[in-house]
Amino acid sequence: MTKLFQLNSEDDMEKVVAQFQQIAQKALQEYDLDGEHIRFNQLSDTCTFVIETEKDGDYLLRIHANKNRNEIDSELAWLSYLHEKMDVAIPKGVECRNGSKTVSIELANGDCVFVSVMCWVEGEHVDEKITEEQVYKEGVLLAKLHTVSPDFQLPPEFARPIWGEDSFKQSMTRLAEHYHRFLTDEEFELYQLAADKILTGLSKLDKNSSNYGIIHGDLHQGNIVFHNGDPRPIDFGRCGFGYYLYDIAHTILGLFPAQRELVMKGYESLRKLEGDWLSKLESFAVMVMIENYSHHASDPRETEGVKKEQPYAIPMVKNYLNGKSFLFPSKAVK
């Protein structure tokens, strides 16, 4: 199944989407959705389709190529918990006819993939049009997620990824294979030095309920939609165990420095950060940036975009290595 995600041309893309659409159509036969119409949405770690129904609105169908059933069921259990505990619209799994929220679809070669269907979360991306109030509310949203996390009782066989030293080492291994597409050898050496510093820092961090738990894991600006001015989180496909500062780093990395400060003020309106959180957050920000490049480096569709980001990324790495604060206009958020 993994091979279906290896794209080298637009023709490959069309073939892959056509294959997945057949899987989606087969999976829909297991659900009671009224008068559905299916359209392709996105291909990344999962392939997703929007399901439009006549009476019940839209749904998101996800085809999971590289996850086992436990991982998917665990994500859906976490989402059900958030749905109950938060005053925020949260994606929620839909049961099929047999009561399960995960459907297994057998392929012609004997392999199988898992499919899940989610209730659609209404809202729109705002991108560069985001207001100061909306950015502040993103911080509040993060704090709400982290506030309810410690009380979640892990179900039996709960399985979600751990975002930390081991996962970051894997990212660096992938980056080493493909960095030549967008970095010089000298630039990659800087990335390696930054990775060593990050790993040293991670090894010294304590894990406790105030700084570590189940996190979204990928709450960047593309995974936040706004409805009536309020942010809603989507795409929990990377949810797992990690530091709350790591979660915050995903959100602020795509924002301007002044906007990042507003996120932190919104966050601290509900959850106060303690100790030397700023230097740790900057370390996580570089970690997230490197992970992003590792993820996209092997995809030829992403190469040019990653190249264009390096004039901003390299100075960030250099500042981090030299101990110069770089996330905010000032060294401290007040």
Side-chain angles (χ1 to χ4, degrees), residues 54-73:
E54 296 177 359
K55 294 181 180 179
D56 299 324
D58 296 346
Y59 297 86
L60 185 71
L61 183 146
R62 307 180 304 170
I63 301 173
H64 309 268
N66 301 309
K67 288 184 180 177
N68 60 45
R69 182 185 287 270
N70 274 357
E71 289 180 303
I72 302 165
D73 288 344

Side-chain angles (χ1 to χ4, degrees), residues 121-275:
V121 175
E122 294 293 337
E124 296 181 357
H125 294 100
V126 293
D127 300 321
E128 69 277 358
K129 296 177 284 187
I130 193 167
T131 67
E132 291 186 354
E133 181 182 12
Q134 288 172 323
V135 172
Y136 180 90
K137 287 182 176 180
E138 288 187 355
V140 175
L141 171 62
L142 276 163
K144 288 180 178 179
L145 287 167
H146 298 164
T147 298
V148 301
S149 177
D151 294 329
F152 179 62
Q153 299 297 313
L154 298 181
E157 299 184 358
F158 188 85
R160 292 303 303 169
I162 298 172
W163 303 114
E165 293 178 67
D166 290 343
S167 63
F168 185 58
K169 288 176 182 177
Q170 292 171 7
S171 292
M172 284 304 298
T173 299
R174 288 195 299 271
L175 188 62
E177 296 175 5
H178 304 288
Y179 77 86
H180 58 275
R181 295 187 177 188
F182 65 96
L183 292 173
T184 65
D185 289 342
E186 291 76 13
E187 289 169 338
F188 181 59
E189 287 179 10
L190 291 174
Y191 274 64
Q192 289 177 307
L193 290 172
D196 290 342
K197 184 176 179 180
I198 291 166
L199 288 169
T200 298
L202 285 173
S203 68
K204 297 177 181 178
L205 288 180
D206 293 327
K207 293 179 183 176
N208 56 65
S209 60
S210 67
N211 68 6
Y212 187 93
I214 302 180
I215 58 175
H216 182 285
D218 199 25
L219 199 62
H220 56 74
Q221 297 303 304
N223 284 337
I224 301 174
V225 296
F226 283 84
H227 183 74
N228 294 330
D230 293 323
R232 294 174 167 182
I234 59 174
D235 194 352
F236 283 74
R238 283 184 94 247
C239 70
F241 298 93
Y243 291 96
Y244 297 137
L245 287 174
Y246 174 79
D247 225 13
I248 296 172
H250 278 275
T251 303
I252 66 173
L253 197 56
L255 296 171
F256 293 113
Q259 293 174 321
R260 295 169 185 164
E261 286 194 348
L262 287 170
V263 170
M264 302 312 301
K265 289 177 180 177
Y267 189 89
E268 290 208 285
S269 70
L270 290 184
R271 264 187 117 252
K272 293 296 181 183
L273 294 168
E274 299 177 354

Side-chain angles (χ1 to χ4, degrees), residues 2 7 38 46 66 85 91 114 122 186 194 212 227 235 289 300 311 329:
T2 307
L7 305 175
I38 184 170
T46 60
N66 301 309
K85 295 296 182 180
F114 296 108
E122 294 293 337
E186 291 76 13
Y212 187 93
H227 183 74
D235 194 352
M289 183 181 72

